[in-house]
Every structure is written in C-alpha cells, then in structure tokens.
Amino acid sequence: MSDLVTGEAVVLGLRTAKLPSRALAVLLDLALEIVVFFLCALVLMLVQPQLDGAAAAAILLSMMVFFLVAVPVLVETLTRGKSLGKLALGLRVVRTDGGPVRFRHALVRGLVGFFEIIMLTGAPAAICSLISSEGRRLGDVFAGTLVVRERVSTARGTSTFRPPPPQVLHALGPELVRLDLSAVPDGLWLAIRQLLSRTGQLDAAIAFRMAVGLADELAALTRWAAPAGLDPVSYLGAVLTERQRREWERAAGRVATPVPGPVAAAVAPPVPIAPPTPSAPPAPPVTGTTDGGFALPG
C-alpha cells in the first residue's frame, strides 16, 4: 500500500485501501441494504395488498433507488466518509487532499457507484481500482476522493507533531478551555495532525495555503476563528494540543480508580503524632518548722 500524495506532491502518510478490502466493505453494505429493502417491501405487501401491479412496481423501484443510492450518500455525508462495511474494516472515504468528504463528494460517489457497481455488476469499478495506484474506482475519480485506512502506522514517519510555543498556549488558554470540539470529525483531526507533523518538509507557500483551508474548516466547526495576528499553523497546533490535553485527562480519569477498603488501609499514609505538650514546672518543696507551722523556702 502506498502513502497518499496530494496534487501538490505532499505526502500525508495515509495508507490507501486496495481492491480486496474495498470489495468486502461494499459487499457488507450491499447485503445490509438489500435485506432492509426486502423487509420494507414485505411490510408494504402486507399492509397494502390491494395495490395494482403498476403502483407496486413504482413503489418498489423508488424504494430500491432510496436504499441503494440515497442511503449510502446520507450515511457517508453524516459519518464523514464511513459506512457499516468501512467501519468493520477500518476504512474511510477522504478527499484527495486528506480532508473529510462533504455531501457533493458522497453524491457523486453514490450516483456513479449505482451504475458501475450495481447496474454493471462491479466490473468497471474492479478494473479501475486494479489499474489505479491508489485503488480508486470511477466514483472516486469523478468525486475527487479515495478510500484510506484509518489505522495509520506511525513507525514509517520520521516527523512528529510539535506543539506551539508555551507563550502562545498561555495567551490562548482561556479561549481554548471553552472550545466545543465535539463537532470536529476524526478525519479533520487526522488531516491537521498530518499537516502539522510535516510543515518542516513542505514548501512554505503550500503549507500556508493548506493550513489556511484547514483553519477555516476548523473555525467553522468550533465557532472560534484564529485571533488576529496568529498564523494558521499556530492556531491549528493550539487547538490540536487542547484536544490532546482533554484526551489525556479523560484517560487519566479512567485510570484513577478508587482503591478497595483493605488495600486503602494498607497503603494509607501514617497518621502524624502530635508533639507532647510542655508540662508545668514541678512545685517547690515545702519545708516544716519546729513549732508545727510551715515556712516558705527562702
């Protein structure tokens, strides 16, 4: 498998999926769609048995188009390039620049895939995927997408992500803590991480242009644009560092489990012993006199 290379000759380190894994993912998706289609058709026949042949054929055709075209498009759009089959095999659809797909990409893939996979029994898709060095079928070529493996091996890469300077994180600290990162998909985090880990290897103009695009997309999802005077690379690095900090805190919270009672008693810190209070000085001795009285010591 080869690394993903953008049109600007930028290696993103994403490993493209080939024909066997992609074909298996498609078979899983088609099996689920066909099963749901037949179940819905059976329910329709039981609920409306008086439908004539023309009406039943029209409804069945509409349902087929819905399950085989509309459902895959909606699923890939909402999950940012995943489906049940791709999820099972650890695959994802991304743009050729490594970013997450949108509705237009999923729509083109779905429409072309209906003809090349279903109508033509998958022969054009298989031939195109075998010829392409990145395993792309016709739908990927027209949509500008490709299928990659999400489990990226880090042993091949020599560059790592370096967080921004501490003074930048300190200045942006209050804003970063309040950010809502729940709407940012995993595909966008992956693209940001790959770009930041290779900024030193890229041409400055290319890296800046890619960082601006990713920063705009991240700002739209987090509703927090880069502050004035902050370059997009530092902005991406600060937000990514904040996400990593939150992940570390969640992991630390899971590890810090309560200690059982007997063990806690065994490892409990010793109770400090209070220092002794100073005692009062001894009373002076009392001396007696010959006449039976008492006299104080001189």
Side-chain angles (χ1 to χ4, degrees):
M1 301 209 176
S2 59
D3 289 332
L4 169 60
V5 182
T6 67
E8 296 167 326
V10 178
V11 180
L12 293 182
L14 303 180
R15 304 193 63 184
T16 56
K18 295 300 183 180
L19 180 59
S21 59
R22 295 192 58 177
L24 183 56
V26 170
L27 289 177
L28 291 175
D29 292 334
L30 283 177
L32 179 63
E33 293 163 4
I34 292 174
V35 168
V36 176
F37 165 73
F38 278 110
L39 290 177
C40 293
L42 180 60
V43 171
L44 177 64
M45 294 175 60
L46 294 176
V47 174
Q48 296 290 340
Q50 69 276 11
L51 285 177
D52 57 10
I59 294 176
L60 291 178
L61 181 60
S62 301
M63 291 175 56
M64 181 179 296
V65 173
F66 173 77
F67 283 108
L68 297 181
V69 179
V71 169
V73 171
L74 291 176
V75 170
E76 283 194 0
T77 303
L78 296 176
T79 60
R80 299 291 186 175
K82 284 187 177 182
S83 64
L84 181 63
K86 294 181 180 65
L87 182 64
L89 296 176
L91 307 181
R92 179 189 287 273
V93 182
V94 297
R95 302 195 305 258
T96 52
D97 60 357
V101 295
R102 298 186 180 276
F103 174 73
R104 62 178 181 272
H105 306 100
L107 180 61
V108 174
R109 280 176 47 84
L111 293 177
V112 178
F114 179 77
F115 291 99
E116 67 171 332
I117 296 177
I118 299 175
M119 300 298 294
L120 300 177
T121 66
I127 295 174
C128 184
S129 182
L130 288 173
I131 295 176
S132 173
S133 60
E134 298 173 342
R136 302 169 69 188
R137 62 176 177 86
L138 293 178
D140 294 317
V141 174
F142 287 111
T145 59
L146 74 163
V147 181
V148 298
R149 292 188 175 276
E150 283 194 300
R151 304 181 181 94
V152 182
S153 175
T154 57
R156 296 167 52 119
T158 57
S159 301
T160 57
F161 163 65
R162 297 180 180 178
Q167 57 268 25
V168 174
L169 296 177
H170 177 73
L172 301 177
E175 298 293 337
L176 292 174
V177 172
R178 290 192 294 265
L179 276 183
D180 182 12
L181 306 179
S182 58
V184 183
D186 293 338
L188 182 56
W189 289 124
L190 181 60
I192 293 173
R193 188 181 299 109
Q194 293 293 333
L195 174 64
L196 294 180
S197 63
R198 288 166 174 79
T199 51
Q201 305 173 0
L202 307 179
D203 179 76
I206 294 176
F208 181 80
R209 185 162 59 251
M210 296 179 66
V212 168
L214 293 176
D216 292 341
E217 191 169 357
L218 182 62
L221 294 172
T222 59
R223 302 180 184 275
W224 183 64
L230 184 67
D231 62 284
V233 175
S234 298
Y235 167 76
L236 294 173
V239 179
L240 183 59
T241 302
E242 171 63 18
R243 179 179 184 259
Q244 293 175 344
R245 183 191 68 82
R246 297 182 187 183
E247 291 180 346
W248 180 86
E249 286 187 349
R250 285 195 293 267
R254 287 194 296 267
V255 173
T257 55
V259 182
V263 181
V267 300
V271 179
I273 301 176
T277 57
S279 59
V286 180
T287 60
T289 60
T290 56
D291 54 0
F294 293 93
L296 295 175

Coordinates of all heavy atoms in Angstrom, one line a residue, residues 24-111:
L24 N -14.9 -6.1 0.0 CA -15.5 -6.7 1.1 C -16.4 -5.7 1.8 O -17.5 -6.0 2.3 CB -14.5 -7.3 2.1 CG -15.0 -8.0 3.3 CD1 -15.9 -9.2 2.9 CD2 -13.9 -8.6 4.1
A25 N -15.9 -4.5 1.9 CA -16.8 -3.4 2.6 C -18.0 -3.2 1.7 O -19.1 -3.0 2.3 CB -15.9 -2.2 2.7
V26 N -17.9 -3.1 0.4 CA -19.1 -2.9 -0.4 C -20.1 -4.1 -0.3 O -21.3 -3.9 -0.2 CB -18.6 -2.7 -1.9 CG1 -19.8 -2.7 -2.8 CG2 -17.9 -1.4 -2.0
L27 N -19.6 -5.3 -0.2 CA -20.5 -6.4 -0.1 C -21.2 -6.4 1.2 O -22.4 -6.7 1.3 CB -19.7 -7.7 -0.2 CG -19.1 -8.1 -1.6 CD1 -18.3 -9.4 -1.5 CD2 -20.2 -8.3 -2.6
L28 N -20.6 -6.0 2.3 CA -21.3 -5.8 3.6 C -22.3 -4.8 3.5 O -23.5 -5.0 4.0 CB -20.2 -5.5 4.7 CG -19.3 -6.6 5.1 CD1 -18.2 -6.1 6.1 CD2 -20.0 -7.8 5.6
D29 N -22.0 -3.7 2.9 CA -23.0 -2.6 2.8 C -24.2 -3.0 1.9 O -25.4 -2.8 2.3 CB -22.4 -1.3 2.2 CG -21.4 -0.7 3.1 OD1 -21.5 -0.9 4.3 OD2 -20.4 0.0 2.6
L30 N -23.9 -3.7 0.8 CA -25.0 -4.1 -0.1 C -25.9 -5.2 0.6 O -27.1 -5.2 0.4 CB -24.4 -4.7 -1.4 CG -23.9 -3.6 -2.4 CD1 -23.3 -4.3 -3.6 CD2 -25.0 -2.7 -2.9
A31 N -25.2 -6.1 1.3 CA -26.0 -7.1 2.0 C -27.0 -6.5 3.0 O -28.2 -6.8 3.0 CB -25.1 -8.1 2.7
L32 N -26.6 -5.5 3.7 CA -27.4 -4.8 4.7 C -28.5 -4.1 4.0 O -29.7 -4.1 4.4 CB -26.6 -3.9 5.6 CG -27.4 -3.1 6.6 CD1 -28.1 -4.1 7.6 CD2 -26.5 -2.2 7.3
E33 N -28.2 -3.4 2.9 CA -29.2 -2.6 2.2 C -30.3 -3.5 1.5 O -31.5 -3.1 1.6 CB -28.5 -1.7 1.1 CG -27.6 -0.6 1.7 CD -26.6 -0.1 0.7 OE1 -26.7 -0.5 -0.5 OE2 -25.8 0.8 1.1
I34 N -29.8 -4.6 1.0 CA -30.8 -5.5 0.3 C -31.7 -6.1 1.3 O -32.9 -6.3 1.1 CB -30.0 -6.5 -0.5 CG1 -29.3 -5.8 -1.7 CG2 -31.0 -7.6 -1.0 CD1 -28.4 -6.8 -2.5
V35 N -31.2 -6.5 2.5 CA -32.0 -7.1 3.5 C -33.1 -6.1 4.0 O -34.3 -6.5 4.1 CB -31.1 -7.6 4.7 CG1 -32.0 -8.0 5.9 CG2 -30.3 -8.8 4.2
V36 N -32.7 -4.9 4.2 CA -33.6 -3.9 4.7 C -34.6 -3.6 3.6 O -35.8 -3.4 3.9 CB -32.9 -2.6 5.1 CG1 -33.9 -1.5 5.5 CG2 -32.0 -2.9 6.3
F37 N -34.2 -3.6 2.3 CA -35.1 -3.3 1.2 C -36.2 -4.4 1.1 O -37.4 -4.1 1.0 CB -34.4 -3.2 -0.1 CG -35.2 -3.3 -1.3 CD1 -36.0 -2.3 -1.7 CD2 -35.2 -4.5 -2.1 CE1 -36.8 -2.4 -2.8 CE2 -36.0 -4.6 -3.2 CZ -36.8 -3.5 -3.6
F38 N -35.8 -5.7 1.2 CA -36.8 -6.8 1.2 C -37.7 -6.8 2.4 O -38.9 -7.1 2.2 CB -36.1 -8.1 1.0 CG -35.7 -8.4 -0.4 CD1 -34.3 -8.4 -0.8 CD2 -36.6 -8.7 -1.3 CE1 -34.0 -8.7 -2.1 CE2 -36.3 -9.0 -2.7 CZ -34.9 -9.0 -3.0
L39 N -37.2 -6.4 3.5 CA -38.1 -6.3 4.7 C -39.1 -5.2 4.5 O -40.3 -5.4 4.8 CB -37.3 -6.1 6.0 CG -36.4 -7.2 6.4 CD1 -35.6 -6.8 7.6 CD2 -37.2 -8.4 6.8
C40 N -38.7 -4.1 4.0 CA -39.7 -3.0 3.8 C -40.7 -3.4 2.7 O -41.9 -3.0 2.8 CB -38.9 -1.7 3.4 SG -37.9 -1.0 4.7
A41 N -40.2 -4.1 1.6 CA -41.1 -4.5 0.6 C -42.1 -5.5 1.1 O -43.3 -5.5 0.8 CB -40.3 -5.1 -0.6
L42 N -41.7 -6.4 2.0 CA -42.6 -7.4 2.6 C -43.7 -6.7 3.4 O -44.9 -7.0 3.4 CB -41.8 -8.4 3.4 CG -42.6 -9.5 4.1 CD1 -43.4 -10.3 3.1 CD2 -41.7 -10.4 4.9
V43 N -43.2 -5.7 4.2 CA -44.2 -4.9 5.0 C -45.2 -4.2 4.2 O -46.4 -4.2 4.5 CB -43.4 -4.0 6.0 CG1 -44.4 -3.0 6.7 CG2 -42.6 -4.7 7.0
L44 N -44.7 -3.6 3.1 CA -45.6 -2.9 2.2 C -46.7 -3.9 1.6 O -47.9 -3.5 1.5 CB -44.8 -2.3 1.1 CG -45.6 -1.5 0.0 CD1 -46.4 -0.3 0.6 CD2 -44.7 -1.1 -1.1
M45 N -46.3 -5.1 1.2 CA -47.2 -6.0 0.6 C -48.2 -6.5 1.6 O -49.4 -6.7 1.3 CB -46.5 -7.2 0.0 CG -45.6 -6.9 -1.2 SD -44.6 -8.3 -1.7 CE -45.9 -9.4 -2.1
L46 N -47.8 -6.6 2.9 CA -48.8 -7.0 3.9 C -49.7 -5.9 4.3 O -50.9 -6.1 4.6 CB -48.0 -7.5 5.2 CG -47.1 -8.7 5.0 CD1 -46.4 -9.0 6.3 CD2 -48.0 -9.9 4.6
V47 N -49.2 -4.6 4.3 CA -50.1 -3.5 4.7 C -51.0 -3.1 3.5 O -52.2 -2.8 3.8 CB -49.2 -2.3 5.1 CG1 -50.1 -1.1 5.4 CG2 -48.4 -2.7 6.4
Q48 N -50.5 -3.1 2.3 CA -51.3 -2.7 1.2 C -51.4 -3.8 0.1 O -50.8 -3.8 -0.9 CB -50.7 -1.5 0.5 CG -50.7 -0.2 1.4 CD -52.1 0.3 1.6 OE1 -53.0 0.1 0.9 NE2 -52.2 1.1 2.7
P49 N -52.2 -4.9 0.4 CA -52.2 -6.0 -0.6 C -53.0 -5.7 -1.8 O -53.0 -6.4 -2.8 CB -52.9 -7.1 0.3 CG -53.7 -6.4 1.3 CD -52.9 -5.1 1.6
Q50 N -53.9 -4.6 -1.8 CA -54.7 -4.3 -2.9 C -54.0 -3.4 -4.0 O -54.7 -3.0 -4.9 CB -56.0 -3.6 -2.4 CG -55.8 -2.2 -1.9 CD -55.3 -2.2 -0.4 OE1 -55.0 -3.2 0.1 NE2 -55.3 -1.0 0.2
L51 N -52.8 -3.1 -3.8 CA -52.1 -2.3 -4.8 C -52.0 -3.0 -6.1 O -51.8 -4.2 -6.2 CB -50.7 -2.0 -4.3 CG -50.5 -0.9 -3.2 CD1 -49.0 -0.7 -2.9 CD2 -51.1 0.5 -3.7
D52 N -52.2 -2.3 -7.2 CA -52.1 -2.9 -8.5 C -50.6 -3.0 -8.9 O -49.8 -2.5 -8.3 CB -52.9 -2.1 -9.6 CG -52.4 -0.6 -9.7 OD1 -51.4 -0.3 -9.0 OD2 -53.0 0.2 -10.3
G53 N -50.4 -3.7 -10.0 CA -49.1 -4.0 -10.4 C -48.2 -2.8 -10.7 O -47.0 -2.7 -10.3
A54 N -48.8 -1.8 -11.4 CA -48.0 -0.6 -11.8 C -47.6 0.2 -10.6 O -46.5 0.6 -10.4 CB -48.8 0.2 -12.8
A55 N -48.6 0.4 -9.6 CA -48.2 1.1 -8.4 C -47.2 0.4 -7.6 O -46.3 1.0 -7.0 CB -49.5 1.4 -7.6
A56 N -47.4 -0.9 -7.5 CA -46.4 -1.7 -6.7 C -45.0 -1.6 -7.3 O -44.0 -1.5 -6.6 CB -46.9 -3.1 -6.5
A57 N -44.9 -1.7 -8.6 CA -43.6 -1.6 -9.3 C -43.0 -0.3 -9.1 O -41.8 -0.2 -8.9 CB -43.8 -1.9 -10.8
A58 N -43.8 0.8 -9.2 CA -43.2 2.2 -9.0 C -42.7 2.4 -7.6 O -41.6 2.9 -7.4 CB -44.3 3.2 -9.3
I59 N -43.5 1.9 -6.6 CA -43.0 2.0 -5.2 C -41.8 1.2 -4.9 O -40.8 1.7 -4.3 CB -44.2 1.6 -4.3 CG1 -45.4 2.6 -4.4 CG2 -43.7 1.5 -2.8 CD1 -46.6 2.2 -3.6
L60 N -41.7 0.0 -5.5 CA -40.5 -0.9 -5.3 C -39.3 -0.3 -5.9 O -38.2 -0.3 -5.4 CB -40.8 -2.3 -5.8 CG -41.8 -3.1 -5.0 CD1 -42.0 -4.5 -5.7 CD2 -41.3 -3.3 -3.6
L61 N -39.5 0.3 -7.1 CA -38.4 1.0 -7.8 C -37.9 2.2 -7.0 O -36.7 2.4 -6.9 CB -38.8 1.4 -9.2 CG -37.7 2.1 -10.0 CD1 -36.5 1.1 -10.2 CD2 -38.3 2.5 -11.4
S62 N -38.8 3.0 -6.5 CA -38.4 4.1 -5.7 C -37.7 3.7 -4.4 O -36.7 4.3 -4.0 CB -39.7 4.9 -5.3 OG -40.3 5.4 -6.5
M63 N -38.2 2.6 -3.8 CA -37.5 2.1 -2.6 C -36.1 1.6 -2.9 O -35.2 1.8 -2.1 CB -38.4 1.0 -1.9 CG -39.7 1.5 -1.3 SD -40.7 0.2 -0.7 CE -39.6 -0.7 0.4
M64 N -36.0 1.0 -4.1 CA -34.7 0.4 -4.4 C -33.7 1.6 -4.6 O -32.5 1.5 -4.1 CB -34.8 -0.4 -5.7 CG -33.4 -1.0 -6.2 SD -33.6 -2.0 -7.7 CE -34.7 -3.3 -7.1
V65 N -34.1 2.6 -5.3 CA -33.2 3.8 -5.5 C -32.9 4.4 -4.2 O -31.7 4.9 -3.9 CB -33.9 4.8 -6.5 CG1 -33.0 6.1 -6.6 CG2 -34.0 4.2 -7.9
F66 N -33.9 4.5 -3.3 CA -33.6 5.1 -2.0 C -32.6 4.3 -1.2 O -31.6 4.9 -0.6 CB -34.9 5.2 -1.2 CG -34.8 5.6 0.2 CD1 -34.6 7.0 0.5 CD2 -34.8 4.7 1.3 CE1 -34.4 7.4 1.8 CE2 -34.6 5.1 2.6 CZ -34.4 6.5 2.9
F67 N -32.7 3.0 -1.1 CA -31.8 2.2 -0.3 C -30.4 2.0 -1.0 O -29.4 1.9 -0.2 CB -32.4 0.8 0.0 CG -33.5 0.9 1.0 CD1 -34.8 0.7 0.7 CD2 -33.1 1.1 2.4 CE1 -35.8 0.7 1.7 CE2 -34.1 1.1 3.3 CZ -35.4 0.9 3.0
L68 N -30.4 2.0 -2.3 CA -29.1 1.8 -3.0 C -28.3 3.0 -3.3 O -27.1 3.0 -3.6 CB -29.3 0.9 -4.2 CG -29.9 -0.5 -4.0 CD1 -30.0 -1.2 -5.3 CD2 -29.0 -1.3 -3.0
V69 N -29.0 4.2 -3.3 CA -28.3 5.5 -3.7 C -28.4 6.5 -2.6 O -27.4 7.0 -2.1 CB -28.9 6.0 -5.0 CG1 -28.2 7.4 -5.3 CG2 -28.8 5.1 -6.1
A70 N -29.7 6.8 -2.1 CA -29.8 7.8 -1.1 C -29.2 7.5 0.2 O -28.6 8.3 0.8 CB -31.3 8.2 -1.0
V71 N -29.5 6.2 0.7 CA -29.0 5.8 2.0 C -27.4 5.9 2.0 O -26.9 6.4 3.0 CB -29.5 4.5 2.4 CG1 -28.8 3.9 3.6 CG2 -31.0 4.5 2.6
P72 N -26.7 5.3 1.0 CA -25.2 5.4 1.1 C -24.7 6.8 1.1 O -23.8 7.2 1.8 CB -24.8 4.6 -0.1 CG -25.9 3.7 -0.4 CD -27.1 4.4 -0.1
V73 N -25.4 7.7 0.3 CA -25.0 9.1 0.3 C -25.2 9.8 1.6 O -24.3 10.5 2.1 CB -25.8 9.9 -0.9 CG1 -25.5 11.4 -0.8 CG2 -25.4 9.3 -2.2
L74 N -26.3 9.6 2.2 CA -26.6 10.1 3.5 C -25.7 9.6 4.6 O -25.2 10.4 5.5 CB -28.1 9.9 3.9 CG -29.1 10.6 3.1 CD1 -30.5 10.2 3.6 CD2 -29.0 12.1 3.3
V75 N -25.4 8.3 4.6 CA -24.5 7.7 5.6 C -23.1 8.3 5.4 O -22.5 8.7 6.4 CB -24.5 6.2 5.5 CG1 -23.4 5.6 6.3 CG2 -25.9 5.6 5.9
E76 N -22.6 8.3 4.2 CA -21.2 8.9 4.0 C -21.1 10.3 4.4 O -20.1 10.8 4.9 CB -20.8 8.6 2.6 CG -20.3 7.2 2.3 CD -19.6 7.1 1.0 OE1 -19.4 8.2 0.3 OE2 -19.2 6.0 0.6
T77 N -22.2 11.1 4.2 CA -22.2 12.5 4.5 C -22.2 12.7 6.0 O -21.5 13.5 6.6 CB -23.4 13.2 3.9 OG1 -23.3 13.0 2.4 CG2 -23.4 14.7 4.2
L78 N -23.1 12.0 6.7 CA -23.3 12.2 8.1 C -22.1 11.6 8.9 O -21.7 12.2 10.0 CB -24.6 11.5 8.6 CG -25.8 12.1 8.0 CD1 -27.1 11.4 8.5 CD2 -26.0 13.6 8.4
T79 N -21.5 10.6 8.4 CA -20.4 10.0 9.2 C -19.0 10.4 8.6 O -18.0 9.9 9.1 CB -20.4 8.4 9.1 OG1 -20.4 8.0 7.7 CG2 -21.7 7.9 9.7
R80 N -19.0 11.4 7.7 CA -17.7 11.9 7.2 C -16.9 10.8 6.5 O -15.7 10.6 6.7 CB -16.9 12.6 8.2 CG -17.6 13.8 8.9 CD -17.7 14.9 7.9 NE -18.2 16.1 8.5 CZ -18.3 17.3 8.0 NH1 -18.0 17.4 6.7 NH2 -18.8 18.3 8.6
G81 N -17.6 10.0 5.7 CA -16.8 9.0 4.9 C -16.9 7.6 5.3 O -16.1 6.8 4.8
K82 N -17.8 7.3 6.3 CA -17.8 5.9 6.8 C -19.1 5.2 6.4 O -20.1 5.9 6.0 CB -17.7 5.9 8.3 CG -16.3 6.1 8.8 CD -16.2 5.9 10.3 CE -14.8 6.0 10.8 NZ -14.7 5.8 12.3
S83 N -19.1 3.9 6.5 CA -20.3 3.1 6.3 C -20.1 1.9 7.2 O -19.1 1.7 7.9 CB -20.6 2.7 4.9 OG -19.5 1.9 4.4
L84 N -21.2 1.0 7.3 CA -21.0 -0.1 8.1 C -19.9 -1.0 7.7 O -19.1 -1.5 8.5 CB -22.3 -0.9 8.1 CG -22.3 -2.2 9.0 CD1 -22.2 -1.8 10.5 CD2 -23.6 -3.0 8.8
G85 N -19.8 -1.3 6.4 CA -18.7 -2.1 5.9 C -17.3 -1.5 6.1 O -16.4 -2.1 6.5
K86 N -17.2 -0.2 5.8 CA -15.9 0.5 6.0 C -15.6 0.6 7.5 O -14.4 0.5 7.9 CB -16.0 1.9 5.4 CG -16.1 2.0 3.9 CD -16.2 3.4 3.4 CE -16.3 3.4 1.9 NZ -17.6 2.9 1.5
L87 N -16.6 0.7 8.3 CA -16.3 0.8 9.8 C -15.8 -0.6 10.3 O -14.9 -0.7 11.1 CB -17.6 1.1 10.5 CG -17.5 1.2 12.1 CD1 -16.5 2.3 12.5 CD2 -18.8 1.5 12.7
A88 N -16.3 -1.7 9.7 CA -15.9 -3.0 10.1 C -14.4 -3.3 9.7 O -13.7 -4.0 10.3 CB -16.8 -4.1 9.5
L89 N -14.0 -2.7 8.5 CA -12.7 -3.0 8.0 C -11.7 -1.8 8.3 O -10.6 -1.9 7.8 CB -12.8 -3.2 6.5 CG -13.6 -4.5 6.1 CD1 -13.7 -4.6 4.6 CD2 -12.9 -5.7 6.7
G90 N -12.1 -0.8 9.0 CA -11.2 0.3 9.4 C -10.9 1.2 8.2 O -9.8 1.7 8.1
L91 N -11.9 1.4 7.3 CA -11.7 2.3 6.1 C -12.5 3.6 6.3 O -13.4 3.7 7.1 CB -12.1 1.5 4.9 CG -11.5 0.1 4.6 CD1 -12.0 -0.4 3.3 CD2 -10.0 0.2 4.6
R92 N -12.1 4.5 5.5 CA -12.8 5.8 5.4 C -12.6 6.5 4.1 O -11.5 6.4 3.5 CB -12.3 6.8 6.5 CG -13.0 8.1 6.5 CD -12.3 9.1 7.5 NE -12.6 8.8 8.9 CZ -13.7 9.2 9.5 NH1 -14.5 10.0 8.9 NH2 -13.8 8.9 10.8
V93 N -13.6 7.2 3.6 CA -13.5 8.0 2.4 C -13.1 9.4 2.7 O -13.6 10.0 3.6 CB -14.9 8.0 1.6 CG1 -14.7 8.8 0.3 CG2 -15.4 6.6 1.4
V94 N -12.0 9.8 2.1 CA -11.5 11.2 2.3 C -11.3 11.8 0.9 O -11.3 11.2 -0.1 CB -10.2 11.2 3.0 CG1 -10.3 10.6 4.4 CG2 -9.1 10.4 2.3
R95 N -11.1 13.1 0.9 CA -10.7 13.9 -0.3 C -9.3 13.6 -0.6 O -8.5 13.0 0.2 CB -10.9 15.4 -0.1 CG -12.3 15.8 0.3 CD -12.5 17.3 0.1 NE -11.5 18.0 0.8 CZ -11.7 18.7 2.0 NH1 -12.8 18.6 2.6 NH2 -10.7 19.3 2.6
T96 N -8.9 13.9 -1.8 CA -7.6 13.6 -2.3 C -6.5 14.5 -1.5 O -5.3 14.1 -1.5 CB -7.4 13.9 -3.8 OG1 -7.9 15.3 -4.1 CG2 -8.2 12.9 -4.6
D97 N -7.0 15.5 -0.9 CA -6.0 16.3 0.0 C -6.0 15.8 1.4 O -5.4 16.5 2.3 CB -6.4 17.8 -0.1 CG -7.8 18.1 0.4 OD1 -8.5 17.2 0.7 OD2 -8.1 19.3 0.5
G98 N -6.8 14.8 1.7 CA -6.8 14.2 3.1 C -7.9 14.7 3.9 O -8.1 14.2 5.0
G99 N -8.7 15.7 3.5 CA -9.8 16.2 4.3 C -11.0 15.4 4.2 O -11.1 14.5 3.4
P100 N -12.0 15.7 5.1 CA -13.2 14.9 5.1 C -14.1 15.2 3.9 O -14.1 16.3 3.4 CB -13.9 15.3 6.5 CG -13.3 16.7 6.7 CD -12.0 16.7 6.2
V101 N -14.9 14.2 3.5 CA -15.8 14.4 2.4 C -17.0 15.2 2.8 O -17.4 15.2 4.0 CB -16.2 13.0 1.8 CG1 -15.0 12.3 1.2 CG2 -16.9 12.2 2.8
R102 N -17.7 15.8 1.8 CA -18.9 16.5 2.1 C -20.0 15.9 1.2 O -19.8 14.9 0.6 CB -18.7 18.0 1.7 CG -17.7 18.7 2.6 CD -17.6 20.2 2.4 NE -16.7 20.8 3.2 CZ -16.9 21.2 4.4 NH1 -18.1 21.1 5.0 NH2 -15.9 21.8 5.1
F103 N -21.2 16.5 1.2 CA -22.3 16.0 0.6 C -22.1 15.8 -0.9 O -22.5 14.8 -1.5 CB -23.6 16.9 0.8 CG -24.8 16.4 0.0 CD1 -25.5 15.3 0.3 CD2 -25.2 17.1 -1.1 CE1 -26.6 14.9 -0.4 CE2 -26.3 16.8 -1.8 CZ -27.0 15.6 -1.5
R104 N -21.5 16.8 -1.6 CA -21.3 16.7 -3.0 C -20.3 15.5 -3.4 O -20.6 14.9 -4.4 CB -20.7 18.0 -3.6 CG -19.3 18.4 -3.0 CD -18.8 19.7 -3.6 NE -17.5 20.1 -3.1 CZ -17.3 20.8 -2.1 NH1 -18.3 21.2 -1.3 NH2 -16.1 21.1 -1.7
H105 N -19.3 15.3 -2.6 CA -18.5 14.1 -2.8 C -19.2 12.8 -2.7 O -19.1 11.9 -3.5 CB -17.3 14.1 -1.9 CG -16.5 15.4 -1.9 ND1 -16.7 16.3 -0.9 CD2 -15.6 15.9 -2.8 CE1 -15.9 17.4 -1.2 NE2 -15.2 17.1 -2.3
A106 N -20.0 12.7 -1.6 CA -20.8 11.5 -1.4 C -21.9 11.3 -2.5 O -22.1 10.2 -2.9 CB -21.4 11.5 0.0
L107 N -22.5 12.4 -3.0 CA -23.5 12.3 -4.0 C -22.9 11.8 -5.3 O -23.5 10.9 -6.0 CB -24.1 13.7 -4.2 CG -25.2 13.7 -5.3 CD1 -26.4 12.8 -4.9 CD2 -25.7 15.1 -5.5
V108 N -21.8 12.3 -5.7 CA -21.1 11.8 -6.9 C -20.7 10.4 -6.8 O -20.9 9.6 -7.7 CB -19.9 12.7 -7.3 CG1 -19.2 12.2 -8.5 CG2 -20.4 14.2 -7.6
R109 N -20.2 10.0 -5.7 CA -19.8 8.6 -5.5 C -21.0 7.7 -5.5 O -20.9 6.6 -6.1 CB -19.1 8.5 -4.1 CG -17.6 8.9 -4.1 CD -17.0 8.8 -2.7 NE -17.4 7.6 -2.1 CZ -16.7 6.4 -2.2 NH1 -15.7 6.4 -3.0 NH2 -17.1 5.3 -1.6
G110 N -22.1 8.1 -4.9 CA -23.3 7.3 -4.9 C -23.9 7.1 -6.3 O -24.3 6.0 -6.6
L111 N -24.0 8.2 -7.0 CA -24.6 8.1 -8.4 C -23.8 7.3 -9.3 O -24.3 6.4 -10.0 CB -24.8 9.5 -8.9 CG -25.8 10.4 -8.2 CD1 -25.9 11.8 -8.8 CD2 -27.2 9.8 -8.3

